[in-house]
């Protein structure tokens, strides 16, 4: 019950009362909701533990779904789709907001789960982006949706397919928002034979049919379809179906080019300019990896630990004699035996440190790792961290594209 206890303690009692009242659990022992919050939570935890197994598991599963949208990506997903945004924005606490949507806009809560599924996998290995015609309207009429659904049934040889089509937005650079239409797809997979326990607690085999999820988004302003699905073939086919049946256009399979990074700016000491409004205290390069262009099978990595007296560039000069004066795209190490090797930086890791917030304490830090030509850990960060990271990677000349598309990270 640890997770339930943690969830209850982070959620206002009034919202918990709304939940248990709305769901009308028959096996819930009486709870005195009029008592002070501290005197309600602990008895409530025990009361849930005393419920019958089916209802107790229902509470656990619901709490898990609500808690999953109580982090920053989940809250962003809820903001993308919630209808009563005015009420949502006035609620205090992530659990409170998430449970409020679960109770009051349950259909939008499920759409938020679909938004999170898509955005968490965006730019990952199950993602592709394609350029199509700009300015199209996504068809939502029954005939078009039926054609799209039929194509998926035939492609995956399954009778059971569910499709959601809804409008949403995504925050991009400088707090701007782009308008999207998302298509969420659920399809039933082939039957699988799995072990499980029957009603008599006997181990038995059971046939289950897993459900697979996929997602597509279309941005009319840029003419970009982004798709998340298991395989590249699935992604191409789903995009083709969307273009034909929901946009009314032919699909030419024009891939968005990979996002490119250039670490040439780090070939000499760099000041990392920032905006005061972002509260950045400083930026420190912690690691550089060098490749000898004459022998690309070997690498040299320099790492600057906390408390180091030298900068990473001073360390490069001291340890391997690199000449940092030119900054011409490669480094030379004169004085080494034989012909001087020509070095290229292939990976860098640097830390952005922020000033403490109004509540004091230690300031947060953000660690970026960039690997030439297409690698960056931005995809593993929260939306706010990605916005800051993308902003400054562009500002410093490391991220070479100038838009919010075409940024697949591998």
């Amino acid at each position: 019950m640890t997770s339930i206890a943690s969830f209850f303690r982070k959620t206002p009692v009034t919202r918990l009362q709304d939940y248990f009242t709305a769901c009308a659990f028959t096996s819930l022992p009486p709870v005195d909701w009029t008592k002070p919050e501290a005197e309600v939570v602990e008895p409530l935890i025990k009361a849930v533990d005393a419920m019958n197994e089916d209802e107790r598991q229902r509470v656990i599963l619901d709490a898990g779904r609500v808690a999953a949208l109580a982090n920053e990506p989940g809250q962003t997903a809820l903001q993308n789709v919630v209808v009563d945004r005015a009420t949502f924005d006035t609620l205090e606490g992530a659990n409170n907001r998430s449970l409020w949507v679960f109770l009051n806009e349950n259909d939008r809560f499920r759409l938020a789960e679909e938004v999170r599924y898509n955005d968490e996998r965006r730019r990952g290995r199950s993602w592709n982006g394609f350029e199509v015609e700009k300015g199209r309207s996504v068809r939502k009429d029954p005939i078009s949706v039926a054609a799209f659904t039929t194509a998926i049934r035939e492609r995956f040889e399954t009778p059971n397919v569910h499709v959601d089509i809804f409008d949403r937005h995504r925050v991009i650079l400088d707090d701007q928002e782009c308008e999207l239409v998302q298509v969420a797809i659920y399809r039933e997979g082939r039957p699988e034979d799995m072990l499980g326990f029957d009603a008599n607690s006997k181990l038995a085999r059971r046939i289950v049919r897993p459900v697979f999820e996929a997602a597509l988004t279309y941005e009319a302003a840029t003419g970009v379809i982004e798709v998340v699905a298991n395989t590249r073939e699935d992604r191409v086919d789903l995009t083709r179906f969307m273009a034909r049946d929901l946009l009314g256009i032919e699909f030419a399979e024009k891939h968005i080019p990979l996002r490119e990074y250039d670490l040439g700016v780090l070939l000499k000491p760099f000041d990392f300019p920032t905006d005061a409004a972002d509260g950045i205290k400083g930026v420190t390069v912690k690691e550089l990896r060098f490749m000898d262009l004459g022998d690309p099978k070997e690498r040299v990595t320099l790492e600057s630990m906390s408390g180091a007296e030298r900068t990473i560039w001073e360390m490069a000069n001291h340890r391997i004699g690199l000449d940092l004066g030119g900054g011409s795209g490669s480094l030379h190490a004169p004085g080494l035996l034989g012909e001087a090797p020509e070095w290229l930086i292939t990976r860098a890791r640097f830390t952005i440190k922020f000033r403490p917030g109004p509540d004091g304490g230690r300031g947060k830090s953000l660690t970026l790792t960039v690997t030439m030509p297409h690698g960056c850990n931005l995809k593993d960060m929260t939306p706010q961290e990605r916005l800051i990271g993308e902003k400054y990677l562009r500002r410093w000349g490391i991220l070479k594209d100038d838009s919010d598309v075409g940024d697949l990270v591998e």
Side-chain angles (χ1 to χ4, degrees), residues 3 34 57 79 87 92 108 284 328 335 354 376 383:
S3 60
T34 64
Q57 287 301 320
Q79 289 175 343
T87 299
E92 296 184 356
R108 310 304 289 183
T284 305
S328 60
F354 295 87
C376 185

Side-chain angles (χ1 to χ4, degrees), residues 147-223:
F148 179 68
T149 305
T150 298
I152 296 172
R153 288 196 183 104
E154 294 175 352
R155 164 63 170 78
F156 294 99
E157 299 179 348
T158 177
N160 296 319
V161 174
H162 176 86
V163 173
D164 287 325
I165 304 176
F166 56 96
D167 298 327
R168 53 163 295 200
H169 66 268
R170 177 185 293 132
V171 178
I172 53 176
L173 295 178
D174 300 323
D175 293 327
Q176 297 179 17
E177 295 182 355
C178 63
E179 300 300 322
L180 306 171
V181 176
Q182 179 162 328
V183 180
I185 301 165
Y186 299 90
R187 63 174 178 85
E188 189 176 64
R190 293 184 175 87
E192 296 180 1
D193 186 7
M194 298 181 64
L195 284 172
F197 288 94
D198 61 20
N200 299 315
S201 298
K202 298 283 188 179
L203 190 64
R205 290 195 171 274
R206 62 179 64 179
I207 303 299
V208 298
R209 291 181 177 270
V211 175
F212 296 98
E213 187 173 355
L216 303 102
T217 61
Y218 173 69
E219 183 181 356
T222 60

Side-chain angles (χ1 to χ4, degrees), residues 262-268 290-294 322-334 340-346 372:
D262 183 355
L263 295 171
V265 68
L266 301 182
L267 292 173
K268 58 182 178 180
F290 300 93
M291 179 183 71
D292 179 358
L293 292 178
L322 293 182
D323 177 12
L324 301 174
S328 60
S330 61
L331 299 169
H332 296 274
E342 186 176 3
W343 300 90
L344 180 73
I345 298 177
T346 61
M372 287 180 57

Side-chain angles (χ1 to χ4, degrees), residues 73-86:
Q75 295 290 287
T76 301
L78 288 168
Q79 289 175 343
N80 277 200
V81 300
V82 68
V83 175
D84 189 355
R85 181 70 179 270

Side-chain angles (χ1 to χ4, degrees), residues 307-324:
E309 296 181 357
R310 298 186 182 94
T311 68
I312 197 77
W313 296 283
E314 292 170 338
M315 182 189 300
N317 196 314
H318 175 74
R319 294 295 180 185
I320 53 180
L322 293 182
D323 177 12
L324 301 174

